[in-house]
Amino acid sequence: MSRAVSPQPRDVARSADRALLRTLAAGTAGVVGDAFFRALVRQLAVAFEADVAFAAEVVDDAGERARVIASWQPGAQLPEGREFALAGTPGELLHDEDVVVVADGACARFPHDAYARRHGLDAYFAVALRGSDGRRIGHLGVQASHPFQPGASEIDDLQLFAARAAAELERRRHQQALRARELEVVASRARVVQAADEERRRIGRDLHDGAQQRLVALGHLLALARRKAGALPADVDHLLDQAAEQSRLASAELRELARGLHPAGLSERGLRPALEALAAASPLDVRLGALPERRLPDPIELTLYYVVAESLTNAVKYARATSVRVDVDLHAAEVVASVADDGRGGARAGGGSGLLGLGDRLHALGGTLAVESPPGAGTVVSARIPLAPWRDAREPFLEFGHEGDGGLGERLIGEILAGRKTVTVSLHRECELEGGTPRIDTRLPVLDHLGRRRATVEVTKVAVMPFEEIDEVVVEAESAGMRTVEEWRELQRRFYEGCRDEIALVLGEPGWRLTQEEPMVICWVRLVDTGKDAQRATGGAAHA
């Protein structure tokens, strides 16, 4: 234990009646996980009248770096997610001690602790968190600008809560590991689906360019032979007619087979034209309702096409339907397709190989297939597919907000429409997945988190820099009203924490968190158009 004597230490050993223990117990009762850590550090800050209290977890094998998982700072700023080195701070004493107390003079004793010096935090009190195997996995810390000397009973009390905090931290890590394995399974399924789709596309292309073209050529040769042969015996003429007809039928069957493997033109023209062609070819009255305003990744578009095609086939063959309605709705984290007919109902999801195969495909994409078909009341086939695992560079866009963001996305879109927000900040690695950093003069549609087009902007300037290097000039134009860079950074951290799982899946990096070193793309933009009739954009990709 490291202690320093204060000239006039503030006596906080007033816990002879275990006031601290009761305060912590009451303040953290009934909460677990992140809520527990936030409640705990808040109670610690209040109990010690400290400038900052925090919980941190070790992030490297050597135990030399830590990351803040919860903090309470009425004065000094220590945001959640910030990583820091213990070397040069009082925290380095935790390598050898479970309890560290520097009652006064911390800034002079640790002159390289820039954070403490900047905020005048001269007193430090920390308790190590140890896992079930005895290794140090984090610590609880309290820092203040005034001297203080915790009493022995207060240290004992905090060590009791350190044991609970360590258990919560281990549980948190186990949950993260489980989530990471789930993300890896989803990513593996995505790769399998993409590989299978590519192979189907290749086979379909080979059939079209190979066997089908040969059959077409055969039909032409038969017609040429007939013309050159002149008058032929009736039986020979009949055989040539049969050969020409078989060639035509084989060509038609191959064409249908190739279309079944991969619909012609879907990748090039998109879902809407492909569904319009399906509707036109159906004997039923097919009405296309809601459809996405932007292109979706190939595996999703192909799956949605299969869902509609199979549903139309079943409506004709089994349901005795006269009309069908198709809707494809784009939501924040998923796309939902619905195909409803007015047939006799009574269908089952496992009733045929077609629906069974669709269910397997959707499961591989992390989605679900549902069939509602009460007898005599028609059939509704619904498919849900998550969007997070799929990104491509085909149709770039700027997206603002996410589910549960408290209206932040809407406010930012409003600032763009008002001309006050002229900069967007995005993850560079997301941009790389979608065609690279946007170029100057690129036009990008502005979408809300439901995929609705709200405006179009044009890129006028681009820069890439670490998150920690973004300065006041960028923040003022990006946020249109944030008072400080630190306030803006804290908002960004909360935003990315809210959609952390989705980004981790997109990046293929389980456990991803926004760090100071994360490269960001800064795009200066100008408003070009507003409303649903905004021109379709082309160019590099970005997200906000």
Side-chain angles (χ1 to χ4, degrees), residues 218-486:
L218 176 60
H220 291 322
L221 289 173
L222 286 171
L224 180 61
R226 180 192 296 278
R227 289 196 299 271
K228 286 184 173 294
L232 293 170
D235 55 343
V236 175
D237 192 60
H238 178 65
L239 286 174
L240 286 174
D241 285 341
Q242 285 186 315
E245 178 64 12
Q246 290 300 314
S247 173
R248 187 187 63 78
L249 291 174
S251 181
E253 288 177 2
L254 274 179
R255 185 166 54 252
E256 289 301 313
L257 178 60
R259 184 179 295 115
L261 287 169
H262 195 281
L266 178 63
S267 296
E268 293 76 18
R269 296 191 294 274
L271 186 62
R272 181 182 292 273
L275 294 186
E276 288 174 346
L278 269 181
S282 176
L284 304 177
D285 175 22
V286 180
R287 290 167 292 166
L288 298 180
L291 292 175
E293 294 186 39
R294 65 176 174 89
R295 290 294 303 273
L296 301 175
D298 280 340
I300 293 180
E301 286 190 339
L302 186 56
T303 301
L304 294 173
Y305 178 90
Y306 288 151
V307 168
V308 176
E310 179 67 20
S311 299
L312 290 179
T313 297
N314 291 341
V316 172
K317 285 186 176 181
Y318 310 116
R320 299 177 185 173
T322 59
S323 66
V324 176
R325 179 179 175 87
V326 177
D327 290 283
V328 180
D329 294 299
L330 190 61
H331 298 288
E334 64 180 3
V335 59
V336 180
S338 173
V339 185
D341 68 47
D342 63 352
R344 59 181 181 176
R348 293 180 294 111
S353 60
L355 288 177
L356 278 174
L358 280 176
D360 290 342
R361 179 181 176 87
L362 282 158
H363 180 68
L365 294 177
T368 58
L369 181 72
V371 177
E372 297 180 15
S373 186
T379 299
V380 178
V381 178
S382 301
R384 295 178 175 272
I385 308 174
L387 294 171
W390 314 99
R391 293 291 174 94
D392 62 34
R394 185 168 47 205
E395 288 221 349
F397 57 93
L398 289 169
E399 182 178 4
F400 290 87
H402 62 83
E403 196 86 30
D405 67 0
L408 175 62
E410 278 300 311
R411 291 197 297 274
L412 293 177
I413 291 174
E415 294 294 314
I416 287 179
L417 294 175
R420 292 187 292 268
K421 178 176 168 60
T422 57
V423 170
T424 69
V425 179
S426 314
L427 294 177
H428 182 253
R429 287 190 285 173
E430 276 197 284
C431 292
E432 289 301 302
L433 291 175
E434 300 168 354
T437 304
R439 299 177 180 178
I440 294 174
D441 295 334
T442 296
R443 289 196 172 189
L444 300 171
V446 174
L447 307 179
D448 60 22
H449 72 284
L450 297 179
R452 296 174 299 198
R453 184 184 297 265
R454 307 289 292 277
T456 301
V457 295
E458 184 176 85
V459 178
T460 60
K461 180 181 175 183
V462 180
V464 178
M465 64 181 67
F467 180 65
E468 65 181 345
E469 293 183 11
I470 295 177
D471 59 16
E472 292 85 352
V473 175
V474 172
V475 169
E476 182 179 355
E478 196 275 345
S479 61
M482 285 294 171
R483 290 170 292 182
T484 66
V485 173
E486 202 55 49

Side-chain angles (χ1 to χ4, degrees), residues 136-190:
R136 180 168 55 85
I137 58 175
H139 63 279
L140 299 175
V142 178
Q143 294 179 266
S145 55
H146 56 73
F148 67 77
Q149 180 70 59
S153 58
E154 285 187 314
I155 292 175
D156 291 342
D157 291 348
L158 191 53
Q159 284 186 298
L160 284 175
F161 271 86
R164 182 186 169 189
E168 285 288 345
L169 182 53
E170 281 200 315
R171 188 178 69 83
R172 188 174 184 267
R173 288 185 166 188
H174 289 319
Q175 287 180 331
Q176 289 176 341
L178 179 60
R179 188 161 55 231
R181 286 194 292 270
E182 291 173 346
L183 294 178
E184 289 170 358
V185 169
V186 172
S188 176
R189 288 174 175 171

Side-chain angles (χ1 to χ4, degrees), residues 10-85:
R10 198 170 70 93
D11 182 12
V12 295
R14 55 190 179 280
S15 58
D17 59 351
R18 311 312 291 269
L20 177 62
L21 182 62
R22 291 201 304 271
T23 297
L24 296 180
T28 59
V31 291
V32 297
D34 291 347
F36 164 78
F37 285 108
R38 292 185 181 117
L40 177 59
V41 298
R42 178 173 183 174
Q43 295 303 322
L44 283 174
V46 172
F48 287 100
E49 299 179 13
D51 293 83
V52 61
F54 63 92
E57 64 174 332
V58 172
V59 294
D60 63 332
D61 293 337
E64 296 177 349
R65 293 189 63 81
R67 176 170 53 230
V68 177
I69 57 177
S71 66
W72 181 257
Q73 60 281 340
Q77 296 292 319
L78 189 65
E80 294 179 10
R82 170 172 288 178
E83 288 192 14
F84 59 94

